[in-house]
Amino acid sequence: MEGTEGAANVDGDGDGGDRPWQSYHTVYTTAKAGMEGVDKEKVQRVVYEMSKGSKYFQNEERKEAFINQKIQNLRIQCAKLTQADLAHYRKVADRRIVELEASRDLSRIWLHVDMDAFYAAVETLSNPTLQGKPMAVGSMSMISTANYEARKFGVRAAMPGFIARKLCPELIFVPTDFKKYTYYSDLTRKVFRIYDPNFIAGSLDEAYLDITEVCKERNVKSEEIAQELRAGVYEETGLTCSAGVAPNRLLAKVCSDINKPNGQYVLPNDRMAVMTFVSSLPIRKIGGIGKVTEHILKGVFEINTCEQMLEKSCYLYALFSQPTAEFFCSVGLGLGQTDSPQVRFRKSISNERTFSATEDEVLLHKKLVELAEMLSADMQKEGLCGRTLTLKLKTASFEVRTRAVTLQKYISSTEDILKHAKKLLKAELPISVRLIGLRVSQFNGDKCSATPDPTQKTITNFITSGDVNRNGSSFPDVADRDFVSDAETNLSVDNQQQTSQLDWRDPFVGNYLSDGDYQSCVLQKNDGIEEVQTPSNDATSSHHSGFTEALGSTSFQGQFEGINVMNESKLLEGASLNSCCQETTMLWLNDYKCSLCGIELPPSFVEERLEHSDFHLAEKLQKEESRIHQPCVPSGSPKRYRRDAYGKEEKERVENSANVHNGDHRRLNEPNHQRAPHPTQQEKRGSIAQVGQSSGQRKAGERGWWKDTRKQFNERAETSHRREQRDDKSQAKPDDNTFQRRDDFSERKDDPLPTSRKRPAFREKRIPVESGDVNLVVGRNDRKKEERSNNPQHLGRPEKPFADDRAPNKVGGRRDGFPSRGRRYGGNDSYRGRDKFNGRQGYSLDKIQTEKWKHDLYQDVSKDPIPQNEDDKIAKLEALLAS
DNA sequence: ATACATACC
DNA sequence: AACTGGTATGTAT
C-alpha cells in the first residue's frame, strides 16, 4: 500500500495547556495523499478525545516521555562536544561522505509500483455500490486501509475503527478478505513479471522492478515503461496503481508516493537531479525513518530534510553508531540499493492474538494452546524447525514483554512448542495480558532439512520440495524468488526414492503430503537423534524444570559472577596503579590517540578514557594469565588470545568488545588474520554475524564497554558449570550437515549482497571513532561491512517476500510540510491531470465492466479449491498464505 | 542469548 | 466502550 506516514509532531513538545490534544502525538494525525482538505486540528482533537485516559493512551504517553528523555540526553551529549571533537568528527564524516559519493551507482533504473488503497480498491471492485462512499477495510478495532473518500474525514490505516467512525459516522466497514487480495495481487504480478521477471515483491500491493534492461532493449524511456506498466495493471485488474522511477530502490519508493494515487514520478539517473530532489525531501519520506527517528532528528539536530543530514553529519557521527550515521549520510546523498534482488530467507515465524485482557490462567493457557497449534501448523506447512521460542505478552497496560528460550533441539510440533511456551508463560504469572504471541526463530537449515545421512536427506529434500511447491501457488512472494529453483532441482533428482519412502510411510499417516505427513517425516528423520535425546532431555528438563531450572542456572550464575566481579575489581584497582608504568604504558597521543591501540578518544570523554586505560590493563592481565596457562601463545600483541577451545569463544567476545573501540586495529596489525568460518558459527553467520553488522562491531553503551573483558576473566576462572552449558549448546546443533547444506543455499544469497546501509537506531552516546587515520579506518571498516552485509535493508526496506499486507501502519503521507510536489521535486509531472480520488471517474465507463469480469474471475478461482465452509482455522491459514 | 524498541506493510 | 498481526532488524545488556 502506499507509503507510511506518521505523526511525529515535532513541534508541540507536550505543553498541555488549552489544547491538550496538540501534545498528543498520534500516528495518524498527519495526512497522506487525499488528505489535503482534512481539518487536521479537528482530527487531532477527536483522536485525543477518544483516546485520552485509556490504558493505550497512557502507554503512549509513557513511550513518548521515554523518547523525549532520549532527546534530552542527546542534546546534552551534543552540547558537550568540544570544538576539537567537532573538528574531528567533521573530518570523519567528510571522508565518509566522499567515499559514499564514490560508491554512487547511477547505472540502474528502478521502478517501484504501489497499488492505490489496495484492499479498499479490491473491495470496491467486488462491490461497486461502495464506490464514492467513505469506506474502510478492517474492523471496529483496527482499520487496514481506507479509501480516499474516507481519508477526507481523516480516516486512515492503523486507526481503530471506533475512532474512524467518530470522524466519519457514515463510514462503511468491510472486513478483510486476504484470499481476494492475494488473487488480485497475483494478477498484478503477472504484469510486473513482464518488465522484470525477478521483480521484488514488497508485499501484496507493492513491488520493485529493475527496468534497466527493458528500457535498453526496447529503447524507451522509463517514463513510458511506467505508463505502460500501470496501464497493464489496470487492464489486468481494474485497479490503479502509482509508480516511482529512480536510480535506486530507496528513491523509487519515495517517488511512487509523490503522485499517488494513479500517478507516477520519474527521477532521472542524474546526480544533480538526485541531489536537488533530496535537498527538499523531508526525512520522514525515507523508508526506515519513522515517527521516532524523525522526532529525534528534528528535536536534537533540527534536521528536517535529507540534505540537512549532510550538514549535520559531524553531529551524527559523533552521537550515533557508525552504521547509523552512515545510513543518514547516504540518505543525504540520495543513495540506495541498486543491486539485483537477492534470495531471502525467512528468519522467524510467529503468530499473536489480542483478546480482552485477562489474568485467568486457564484462559491464558487455552490461548497458548491455540497459538501453539497454529504456529506448528504454519511451520509444518513451510517445513520449518527452529530452536528459539519467544513468548510475547502485552499486558493490560499495553506494556510489551518478550521471553525467549533457545533449545538444544529443533522443534516444530505443537507439543514441543507448547511445552516450552508454557514454561515461559508460567514464569510471568500472575499477569493480566491482552495479547499472547509465539515466535520461532533460529531455523534448522532453512527448510527443516537437517539430515544426518544421505538417505534421510533424500526424504527431507523431497518433503522440502513438496512443501515449496505447495507454497508456490499460495505463497508467491517466497516461491517466486526464493525457493523455487532450488527446490525443483531437489525434487527431480530425488524423485524415485521419494515414492518409495512415501509408500513406506503412508501406513503410518494415511495422508499424502499433508501437514501430518510432514510431521511424521520429521519425526522419522530426527528419530535417530531425538528419540534417544528426548528421554535424556526430558530427564534433564524435569530435573531442571520449574523453579529448579530457573533458580539453578540463574541465581547460581549470578552469585558466581558477583563474587568474581568483586575480586576482579580489586585486582584491577590494585594493578592499575602501576600498570601504566610498565611495558603497557599508554598515552594519549596528540591528545586523541591511544598510544597502544590507536583508538581515538576526544579529551572530553574523560570517563571513557579512564575506562579505556582500564581496558588495556585488563587486556594485559588477560595476556599474562594466558601465558601462564598457555605458554606457547605469543604475547607480543595485545590482541592475541588463547587458542584452546574455550579461548576461542573468549576471543570472540573480547574482540567484539575491543573491536568496537579499536576498530580494525587487529586487522591492521595482523592483516592476514581471517576469521575462519567456524562450523558452529555458520548458523549464526546468516543471521547475526553478517546481517547485523552491528552485533559484531558495534559496542554497547559507552559505559562499561570493557566490562565485557572483565567478565571474560570471570568466565575463565569459571567452573565447568557454564562451560558444560556452552558445550551442550554447541553440540546442540544436530548435525553440521544441516549447516553445510544451508550454506549451499545461503551462498547464493549471501555473496552477491551489496553494501547495506543501516537503518537508523539510536544510542545516546557513541564511542569515538577508532584509530588515528580517519580515512584508513573508516574505509576499512566499511569494506568489512560490505563483505558481511547480508541484509538488504534500507533502501530496500525489508522486502520481505512473505511480508504481509494488512498494512495498518501506513498512514497516509502528509502533504503539508511537503508541499507542491511538482515544484519541489522538479518538473516531470507527466501525470498532472490525474484525479485524486474522485479520480475513479477517470475510468468510469469501462470500469464496471472490468470489475465485474475480474471479480467473477476471482470468484471462479476462489470457489474451486476452497470449501466455503471451512472454519476459522482455514481462514487464518489463508490469511497466512496470503501474506 | 535475551529483552526491548523501531519500522514497515 | 477501548488501539492489529507478521516480520525484520537495531540497541543494549
Side-chain angles (χ1 to χ4, degrees):
Chain A
M1 319 213 102
E2 52 265 43
T4 307
E5 191 55 23
N9 308 334
V10 182
D11 31 74
D13 244 299
D15 46 289
D18 290 344
R19 303 193 185 92
W21 59 85
Q22 289 179 344
S23 60
Y24 180 42
H25 298 175
T26 61
V27 200
Y28 18 72
T29 45
T30 27
K32 165 132 197 141
M35 307 279 287
E36 287 79 7
V38 180
D39 180 349
K40 289 188 202 92
E41 170 102 359
K42 183 193 163 196
V43 171
Q44 175 93 34
R45 203 172 57 240
V46 170
V47 170
Y48 172 79
E49 292 296 336
M50 295 295 289
S51 303
K52 82 175 163 195
S54 68
K55 298 265 174 61
Y56 173 83
F57 182 90
Q58 289 168 16
N59 187 251
E60 289 300 299
E61 286 185 319
R62 184 182 60 80
K63 289 196 299 189
E64 183 142 342
F66 183 80
I67 294 167
N68 285 334
Q69 184 59 55
K70 203 176 208 171
I71 290 176
Q72 283 306 316
N73 292 345
L74 282 167
R75 280 181 179 153
I76 291 169
Q77 292 301 321
C78 221
K80 270 209 258 178
L81 292 169
T82 65
Q83 284 306 312
D85 295 337
L86 288 175
H88 171 75
Y89 287 114
R90 159 94 36 228
K91 252 196 298 183
V92 172
D94 287 349
R95 182 63 201 174
R96 268 317 280 159
I97 289 171
V98 169
E99 290 173 356
L100 284 170
E101 176 59 45
S103 75
R104 187 189 296 273
D105 176 10
L106 290 170
S107 69
R108 310 305 297 177
I109 304 174
W110 280 96
L111 182 151
H112 181 250
V113 215
D114 195 330
M115 302 301 295
D116 302 326
F118 186 52
Y119 297 171
V122 169
E123 293 299 344
T124 306
L125 281 190
S126 299
N127 180 2
T129 65
L130 292 171
Q131 234 174 88
K133 299 172 188 163
M135 179 264 278
V137 176
S139 69
M140 236 26 192
S141 306
M142 188 51 60
I143 288 175
S144 286
T145 308
N147 68 8
Y148 282 84
E149 284 81 354
R151 291 183 195 190
K152 281 196 281 192
F153 295 87
V155 174
R156 41 188 318 152
M159 177 182 279
F162 68 89
I163 294 181
R165 197 177 52 177
K166 191 83 171 182
L167 288 169
C168 173
E170 309 286 291
L171 187 64
I172 299 170
F173 286 86
V174 176
T176 50
D177 179 352
F178 288 107
K179 277 185 306 191
K180 214 187 284 180
Y181 313 143
T182 303
Y183 170 76
Y184 280 95
S185 179
D186 287 344
L187 292 183
T188 65
R189 290 171 187 189
K190 254 171 62 186
V191 181
F192 301 161
R193 214 163 275 129
I194 298 170
Y195 300 90
D196 178 6
N198 296 318
F199 74 91
I200 304 174
S203 64
L204 284 185
D205 85 318
E206 59 175 78
Y208 295 90
L209 286 69
D210 181 347
I211 56 169
T212 316
E213 305 308 327
V214 198
C215 290
K216 250 183 227 160
E217 284 165 15
R218 294 175 40 187
N219 191 30
V220 290
K221 289 182 187 169
S222 55
E223 180 188 336
E224 296 170 57
I225 296 291
Q227 289 284 3
E228 193 182 301
L229 179 140
R230 293 199 300 115
V233 168
Y234 178 68
E235 204 168 306
E236 191 67 31
T237 64
L239 301 167
T240 64
C241 62
S242 300
V245 176
N248 62 58
R249 295 206 289 277
L250 181 118
L251 292 177
K253 175 139 173 69
V254 174
C255 289
S256 70
D257 194 53
I258 293 175
N259 285 322
K260 174 169 281 298
N262 200 15
Q264 64 183 50
Y265 182 87
V266 176
L267 178 62
N269 287 33
D270 171 80
R271 184 179 175 278
M272 276 315 291
V274 169
M275 293 308 284
T276 303
F277 181 82
V278 146
S279 72
S280 59
L281 186 65
I283 54 175
R284 189 63 168 76
K285 293 286 174 186
I286 300 297
I289 298 184
K291 175 188 162 182
V292 172
T293 308
E294 180 191 36
H295 199 162
I296 290 174
L297 290 177
K298 286 187 177 176
V300 180
F301 310 99
E302 294 169 324
I303 292 175
N304 291 286
T305 68
C306 296
E307 187 181 47
Q308 291 169 330
M309 297 272 203
L310 297 181
E311 295 164 11
K312 310 276 181 171
S313 56
C314 67
Y315 289 96
L316 298 176
Y317 271 93
L319 294 172
F320 298 127
S321 70
Q322 190 199 315
T324 299
E326 195 146 308
F327 168 70
F328 290 149
C329 286
S330 74
V331 165
L333 291 166
L335 302 177
Q337 285 184 247
T338 58
D339 60 299
S340 287
Q342 328 86 35
V343 175
R344 299 206 62 206
F345 291 91
R346 175 196 282 283
K347 294 180 180 60
S348 73
I349 186 167
S350 68
N351 56 20
E352 65 189 50
R353 286 295 172 269
T354 297
F355 40 85
S356 46
T358 178
E359 46 184 343
D360 180 334
E361 297 184 9
V362 176
L363 224 64
L364 292 179
H365 181 264
K366 209 175 135 195
K367 303 279 184 196
L368 202 62
V369 173
E370 289 169 8
L371 286 168
E373 282 169 353
M374 287 191 290
L375 184 56
S376 177
D378 290 345
M379 288 180 71
Q380 282 159 25
K381 242 181 294 159
E382 289 192 50
L384 296 168
C385 293
R387 57 189 282 259
T388 298
L389 177 70
T390 305
L391 171 76
K392 175 179 173 181
L393 301 174
K394 193 186 285 180
T395 67
S397 53
F398 285 85
E399 189 185 331
V400 175
R401 276 187 215 177
T402 59
R403 297 290 179 261
V405 274
T406 297
L407 309 166
Q408 297 185 355
K409 63 170 190 172
Y410 292 87
I411 61 170
S412 69
S413 71
T414 304
E415 294 71 31
D416 283 336
I417 293 173
L418 196 55
K419 180 171 86 184
H420 298 283
K422 272 193 214 167
K423 285 191 208 167
L424 291 173
L425 177 58
K426 219 174 250 172
E428 302 301 312
L429 298 175
I431 186 176
S432 178
V433 296
R434 69 189 328 275
L435 171 147
I436 301 184
L438 289 175
R439 170 180 307 267
V440 173
S441 50
Q442 295 235 54
F443 298 132
N444 178 6
D446 292 308
K447 283 294 180 176
C448 191
S449 48
T451 51
D453 74 68
T455 306
Q456 293 177 343
K457 190 170 192 168
T458 329
I459 303 174
T460 306
N461 284 353
F462 167 68
I463 295 161
T464 301
S465 307
D467 272 287
V468 166
N469 287 341
R470 281 194 300 152
N471 286 339
S473 54
S474 44
F475 221 106
D477 281 311
V478 176
D480 278 358
R481 188 175 277 291
D482 295 356
F483 303 113
V484 164
S485 54
D486 288 324
E488 279 171 354
T489 306
N490 292 338
L491 180 58
S492 54
V493 167
D494 299 329
N495 207 6
Q496 278 222 328
Q497 295 176 53
Q498 300 155 12
T499 312
S500 57
Q501 297 291 358
L502 264 184
D503 289 346
W504 173 71
R505 256 181 297 108
D506 262 349
F508 271 100
V509 193
N511 268 335
Y512 56 104
L513 265 190
S514 68
D515 295 347
D517 192 36
Y518 179 76
Q519 169 85 16
S520 80
C521 291
V522 173
L523 292 178
Q524 284 296 337
K525 175 198 66 194
N526 288 338
D527 263 357
I529 296 173
E530 300 222 353
E531 211 55 83
V532 176
Q533 234 181 21
T534 301
S536 71
N537 276 349
D538 283 344
T540 313
S541 300
S542 49
H543 178 67
H544 285 300
S545 73
F547 68 93
T548 309
E549 184 175 41
L551 292 183
S553 50
T554 310
S555 64
F556 169 73
Q557 188 170 310
Q559 280 180 2
F560 190 81
E561 281 185 4
I563 292 166
N564 276 286
V565 166
M566 279 178 55
N567 290 342
E568 200 59 55
S569 304
K570 283 186 187 167
L571 190 64
L572 287 172
E573 279 169 23
S576 67
L577 292 178
N578 50 26
S579 77
C580 289
C581 309
Q582 308 194 350
E583 66 171 294
T584 54
T585 300
M586 74 151 280
L587 301 168
W588 291 105
L589 303 174
N590 297 327
D591 216 17
Y592 252 102
K593 192 165 155 185
C594 171
S595 60
L596 290 180
C597 69
I599 186 179
E600 289 192 353
L601 274 169
S604 55
F605 288 69
V606 178
E607 206 175 336
E608 286 77 6
R609 283 193 173 197
L610 283 174
E611 288 181 348
H612 186 77
S613 50
D614 278 349
F615 168 74
H616 281 298
L617 172 59
E619 205 171 39
K620 189 188 162 201
L621 291 172
Q622 178 188 346
K623 230 173 27 191
E624 285 168 1
E625 188 171 336
S626 291
R627 241 179 272 141
I628 292 166
H629 298 300
Q630 296 274 316
C632 59
V633 171
S635 58
S637 155
K639 287 291 168 245
R640 306 262 182 179
Y641 302 87
R642 297 192 306 163
R643 287 172 153 262
D644 57 351
Y646 174 56
K648 259 183 211 164
E649 291 186 30
E650 173 184 354
K651 175 179 168 185
E652 289 293 329
R653 285 190 300 269
V654 172
E655 281 179 1
N656 281 349
S657 53
N659 259 353
V660 180
H661 304 277
N662 291 346
D664 264 356
H665 174 62
R666 175 176 47 72
R667 279 182 171 72
L668 272 176
N669 288 344
E670 305 174 307
N672 290 331
H673 175 98
Q674 295 286 349
R675 191 177 301 195
H678 193 283
T680 58
Q681 272 189 322
Q682 292 185 359
E683 183 194 32
K684 263 184 153 186
R685 209 194 60 164
S687 52
I688 300 175
Q690 300 198 352
V691 169
Q693 302 95 317
S694 47
S695 10
Q697 323 187 300
R698 119 173 0 120
K699 207 18 232 148
E702 63 282 15
R703 194 150 322 270
W705 51 269
W706 65 271
K707 281 179 194 158
D708 288 347
T709 309
R710 202 183 266 182
K711 222 192 229 158
Q712 334 270 288
F713 279 1
N714 301 333
E715 287 175 358
R716 176 137 21 100
E718 174 183 320
T719 67
S720 58
H721 170 71
R722 267 217 270 174
R723 206 173 306 190
E724 278 166 15
Q725 283 189 336
R726 242 194 305 275
D727 288 346
D728 279 355
K729 291 224 171 172
S730 26
Q731 286 168 10
K733 335 258 167 181
D735 45 75
D736 283 350
N737 288 342
T738 304
F739 303 106
Q740 191 53 56
R741 193 168 165 289
R742 183 183 187 197
D743 269 353
D744 292 343
F745 273 121
S746 356
E747 216 67 58
R748 268 160 239 142
K749 94 181 165 181
D750 288 349
D751 295 341
L753 288 184
T755 323
S756 64
R757 316 214 185 284
K758 268 294 62 86
R759 140 195 315 167
F762 306 97
R763 47 195 255 178
E764 288 164 14
K765 192 154 82 181
R766 174 177 174 275
I767 299 297
V769 189
E770 39 274 344
S771 161
D773 187 317
V774 170
N775 309 336
L776 276 181
V777 167
V778 172
R780 188 169 35 258
N781 271 347
D782 255 29
R783 221 165 295 135
K784 183 169 79 182
K785 205 187 334 176
E786 287 176 17
E787 286 161 13
R788 308 144 110 226
S789 141
N790 168 26
N791 58 337
Q793 36 202 282
H794 312 136
L795 67 112
R797 207 63 315 258
E799 291 104 13
K800 11 186 169 190
F802 32 80
D804 102 35
D805 199 72
R806 24 210 152 207
N809 250 348
K810 78 195 27 187
V811 194
R814 105 173 63 283
R815 289 306 164 178
D816 67 86
F818 191 26
S820 62
R821 348 175 221 253
R823 237 182 314 146
R824 282 248 185 165
Y825 288 109
N828 203 354
D829 233 339
S830 55
Y831 234 67
R832 233 38 197 135
R834 76 175 199 283
D835 337 83
K836 275 213 161 130
F837 82 80
N838 47 7
R840 308 222 156 245
Q841 295 160 3
Y843 48 83
S844 54
L845 276 191
D846 59 325
K847 180 168 55 180
I848 290 181
Q849 270 183 344
T850 307
E851 286 166 1
K852 283 223 159 183
W853 178 57
K854 291 302 172 187
H855 182 51
D856 289 342
L857 229 187
Y858 162 70
Q859 291 193 334
D860 288 345
V861 170
S862 61
K863 267 175 206 160
D864 290 5
I866 296 144
Q868 204 64 317
N869 220 354
E870 290 297 291
D871 52 13
D872 280 347
K873 271 194 175 176
I874 295 291
K876 282 168 190 167
L877 211 141
E878 289 296 337
L880 279 159
L881 288 175
S883 66

